[in-house]
Amino acid sequence: MRTSRTWWWLSGVIVGALGLGVSYLVAGLLRVRASPAVAVGEGVRDLTPDGIVHWAIETFRSHDKLALFVGMFVILTLVFAGLGWLARTRWWLTVTGYVVLGVVASVAVMSEPASTTTEMVPVVAGFVTWLIGLAVMAGWLRRWELVEASDDAAGDPTHSRRSFFLAAGAVAGIAVLSGVLGKLAGFQRAAVDRDRRLLRVEDATKPVQPRGVKVDVDGVPAWQTSADDFYLIDTAFVKPAIRPRDWQLRIHGMVDRELTLSFDDLIGMEITEDWITLNCVSNEVGGNLIGNAWWSGVRLAGILAQLGIQDGADAVLQTSDDGWTCGTPLEALTDERSAMLAVYMNGEPLTIEHGFPVRTIVPGLYGYVSACKWVVDMEVTKFDRIDAYWTDRGWSEQGPVKIASRIDVPDGGADVETGTLVCAGSAWKQHTGIERVEVSLDGGAWTSATLGRVPSDDTWVQWRAEVDVDDGDHQLRVRAIGKDGDVQTGVEHDVLPDGATGWHTVEFSAR
């Protein structure tokens, strides 16, 4: 007689969870950012076809990583259950499965930027735990089987079952405890948060919102976006927690002199500050993946000028601590715009989510080719020599921001009173500026809106207009005209490969 397959499946899941928990604990103790499970998850992210990645971002937005984690959880549960079932008759296949999982985790971990042999320790710890856990659980199940099959009346099947359940509960408890302790051991983020609170840069100032930038219409988002409300788009499963004392930026490649900057080196340089609007290339027409903040940091133009840029260089490959890369036009980092290594956002240290301790800000470019959070490496190079995360997945190489405008008031589907309707919203074309914004009611003539003031061409501008509406259903659309004469097109185009186009249109009813 054999024990039920269910208990072998359950044993496989428990042993699998134990190995993952121990590896997570060891990673926390060694201050390894990416535990094997996280490294594998990020590897899956990197290998996933761009269409699926983009669908996940658009569908789940801030929950895309949660969705992938849930998917990985389901897959691993099935895999571990299958390995537990195989151990019933072919234990060597189970061991082979653990070896395969270990190899996958090893490749993922060693593919992380600046990986060392230390990153392999959690993988080895998890693999050894799987082998020991398998031996323990299989031993108790086989003892149960022998007692069940024995004709000896002295044998007590109930006692054997109880012993197995106690062993399974103990192993499961250790797995959970390992995960909890791993979380507690990951104190690096807490240390970074303390560093943030203690960080002071004397040359960084609190933002003072310029007069006249707001149009004072209820329903229009604030001209200055807080860190909490600022959109977040990145590919990091675990946000890098880097202490300022540990941060370094290496600048190399097609330069006469390489440079490695420490955090103290950086903040010892002249600090520049500016209002800059950032927006994501995934922002759909009328979308909210855009924000405006007061950024403080060191201009990259001055740093790069000291290194002696060699002839032919036209790009800078930026690399984040989590391995994400982007190719940025060299010209955008060396011209008169306020491209900077930012340390402060709205007069406060960057949050970990927004790139603490240092990130890159480049006005006029979409974030996927410029806004490198947790930046640790910059290679001056040529576009034809590099592959970057998103451009390697079919997005355009340069990524200049397209002219765009949005209606914030009235909302789509709103009910308003007949007569004069006040409508309002925002428009942007960073590093070029907005000359005019126009609205059209029900396909009629374009009417110019009143614009708020802006401190520079690198920020969005709020607009306000009045239209007369009669009883019935209506449609309102908006378009912007740039200071370079560029008229926003009404041709609708998806965000791929270089940003959405089209006029934002809302429908509402007047009564």
Side-chain angles (χ1 to χ4, degrees), residues 212-236:
V213 295
K214 299 187 299 182
V215 295
D216 290 327
V217 176
D218 290 340
V220 177
W223 184 82
Q224 174 188 328
T225 310
S226 68
D228 290 339
D229 293 333
F230 214 98
Y231 75 94
L232 285 169
I233 294 289
D234 57 64
T235 61

Side-chain angles (χ1 to χ4, degrees), residues 1 3 143-151 157-158 160-161:
M1 178 178 181
T3 53
R143 188 173 297 122
W144 180 0
E145 288 180 347
L146 290 174
V147 172
E148 289 279 5
S150 174
D151 294 329
T158 302
S160 298
R161 287 195 297 270

